[in-house]
Structure formats: structure tokens, C-alpha cells
């Protein structure tokens, strides 16, 4: 398997899952500053020009965080990355989808790339502010989900890998104060040996 990633991007969560699984995998860094996501070789692999992109051992390519994470969890069922019961699995998938589709794609995307939402520069501050509102509401809901629990589904699951990358963006990149349970979850995640290794490998260790 080969993971195409950008250091500190949402691919960080998939990198964590691969490290948690512990099976051999390769990584290929895509340099966003050099716009390598638009280089012909990468576009051939993933015409969406996005990371995470996972190339399986048979050469087939998988994109979209939730799909990659769910595939990894099902292929490595012994690692317990998704709860085995239907209710637990649904709760983990619900949280992962909310983090990726709302906190990331609706919240952070507005904060990082306001130009994708409003062509006029004069509107960008308003777009960023709306993104922050969406993000803060999302973090507050995740905080509630975490109440009395160490991990979203009780035990570590794919949902925690997703929440971790947005917590990282909020705390480390945007210097935001995370709500109490998210802050504790972020620290718990950073203390996992697999997460520590990934932070080193991506050059993100403090
Ligand atoms: N919906 C996609 C989002 C992927 C995404 O937006 N990736 C960003 C990095 S966090 C990216 O590759 N950006 C490169 C670009 O847009 O040029 C997923 O779930 O994987």
C-alpha cells in the first residue's frame, strides 16, 4: 500500500490509521507548495488532485477520507478500528462523516480558502468568520459526544483519527483553544505511540 500525503493535511488521519494497523506501507509526499497535486503523474492516479490518496497493493486507487478509513478498518478487522456492533459502527461513521464533511469541508475550508467560496476579496473576512462559526459549533458537538469517554466510540476508532486532524489544525495551526473534552482527546491522541511516530515522520513533532 502507498499513501500519498501532504504533511499536516487531512491525510494525517489516514497516516495515523496505517501506523496503528502496523502492516507495511509506503508513503509518497506531495508538495503542495510546488503544486505537485496537479502534476500529470499524480492526476493520472487521482484526478481530484487531493490527498489522502491510497494506492492498494493491486494498484487500485482509493480516495476520500471516510472511504479509505472504512476500507482499512474492514480489511484489518482484528485491529478493532470500527466497533463490531451495528450501533457502535454507525456512531463512529456518523462522527467521522461529520468531522470530514462539516468541520473540515464547510468550516476549515472557508477559513483556509475563502476565495473558493467568494470571488470578491472584500467578502473573505465574512467567509472566514462563517467558517469559524461552523467549526466551533462542530467542535462543541464533538465535545459533547466525548463527555465521559476517552474516545468517540468508547474505544479508539477511525472517528478519532478524523477528529485528531481537525484538532491539530485548530490547536496547532490556528492556535485556538479546544473545548475541554476535545483538548483532553487531542492530548490522548498525541500520546499514542502510533501518533507520535506519524508526527515525527511528517515533521510535525513539537
Ligand atoms: N473530501 C476529501 C477532502 C480531501 C482534501 O480536501 N484534501 C486536501 C488536503 S487536507 C487537498 O488535497 N488539497 C489540495 C488542493 O486542494 O489543492 C476527503 O475526504 O479526502
Amino acid at each position: 500500500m502507498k499513501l500519498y500525503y501532504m504533511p499536516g493535511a487531512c491525510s494525517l488521519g489516514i497516516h495515523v490509521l496505517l501506523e496503528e494497523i502496523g502492516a507495511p506501507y509506503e508513503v509518497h509526499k506531495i508538495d503542495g507548495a510546488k503544486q505537485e497535486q496537479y502534476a500529470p503523474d499524480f492526476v493520472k492516479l487521482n484526478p481530484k488532485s487531493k490527498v489522502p490518496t491510497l494506492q492498494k497493493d493491486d494498484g487500485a486507487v482509493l480516495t476520500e477520507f471516510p472511504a479509505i478509513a472504512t476500507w482499512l478498518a474492514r480489511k484489518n478487522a482484528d485491529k478493532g478500528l470500527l466497533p463490531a456492533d451495528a450501533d457502535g459502527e454507525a456512531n463512529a461513521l456518523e462522527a467521522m462523516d461529520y468531522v470530514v464533511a462539516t468541520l473540515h469541508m464547510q468550516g476549515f475550508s472557508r477559513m483556509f480558502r475563502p476565495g473558493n467560496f467568494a470571488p470578491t476579496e472584500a467578502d473573505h473576512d465574512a467567509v472566514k468568520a462563517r467558517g469559524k462559526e461552523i467549526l466551533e459549533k462542530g467542535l462543541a458537538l464533538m465535545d459533547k459526544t466525548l463527555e465521559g469517554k476517552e474516545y468517540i466510540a468508547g474505544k479508539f476508532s477511525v472517528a478519532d483519527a478524523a477528529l485528531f486532524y481537525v484538532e491539530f489544525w485548530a490547536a496547532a495551526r490556528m492556535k485556538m483553544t479546544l473545548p475541554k473534552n476535545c483538548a483532553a482527546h487531542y492530548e490522548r491522541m498525541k500520546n499514542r505511540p502510533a501518533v507520535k511516530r506519524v508526527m515525527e515522520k511528517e515533521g510535525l513533532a513539537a
Side-chain angles (χ1 to χ4, degrees):
M1 273 186 298
K2 192 191 280 187
L3 172 69
Y4 290 80
Y5 78 106
M6 288 182 194
C10 53
S11 41
L12 178 63
I14 299 297
H15 204 169
V16 164
L17 291 174
L18 286 168
E19 200 65 33
E20 291 279 354
I21 289 165
Y25 67 94
E26 292 171 48
V27 288
H28 182 111
K29 183 159 114 183
I30 297 294
D31 189 339
K34 293 187 185 151
Q35 302 270 291
E36 283 177 359
Q37 67 271 40
Y38 303 111
D41 279 355
F42 187 67
V43 173
K44 221 183 279 169
L45 209 61
N46 180 2
K48 297 172 186 168
S49 291
K50 299 279 185 198
V51 295
T53 295
L54 188 76
Q55 186 163 38
K56 302 183 207 169
D57 289 339
D58 65 1
V61 169
L62 201 50
T63 65
E64 303 298 325
F65 190 109
I68 298 171
T70 304
W71 182 80
L72 285 172
R74 292 197 56 172
K75 282 288 181 186
N76 299 277
D78 58 315
K79 305 290 178 192
L81 297 173
L82 264 180
D85 64 300
D87 288 347
E89 181 186 84
N91 289 339
L93 295 177
E94 179 186 32
M96 175 166 62
D97 190 62
Y98 184 58
V99 167
V100 175
T102 301
L103 279 72
H104 172 182
M105 301 308 296
Q106 297 296 329
F108 273 117
S109 293
R110 280 182 169 76
M111 294 162 74
F112 292 157
R113 304 259 188 102
N116 287 347
F117 294 85
T120 311
E121 203 155 337
D123 295 328
H124 288 185
D125 281 348
V127 170
K128 285 187 201 172
R130 178 68 191 124
K132 191 156 182 278
E133 258 175 29
I134 294 169
L135 173 67
E136 283 173 345
K137 177 179 173 180
L139 286 173
L141 286 172
M142 286 294 100
D143 198 65
K144 219 168 161 190
T145 304
L146 280 167
E147 189 66 48
K149 289 188 276 186
E150 294 201 335
Y151 294 102
I152 290 172
K155 274 178 28 198
F156 175 83
S157 77
V158 290
D160 299 289
L163 183 58
F164 174 66
Y165 83 76
V166 296
E167 287 169 344
F168 170 72
W169 287 351
R173 285 179 67 173
M174 304 304 283
K175 308 291 177 213
M176 288 168 66
T177 302
L178 292 170
K180 177 176 60 89
N181 297 320
C182 288
H185 177 264
Y186 179 50
E187 289 307 313
R188 200 169 291 125
M189 285 294 295
K190 283 197 295 181
N191 281 321
R192 290 180 73 86
V195 174
K196 284 188 176 168
R197 291 195 295 274
V198 169
M199 297 305 267
E200 284 286 340
K201 287 181 185 185
E202 294 205 6
L204 307 169

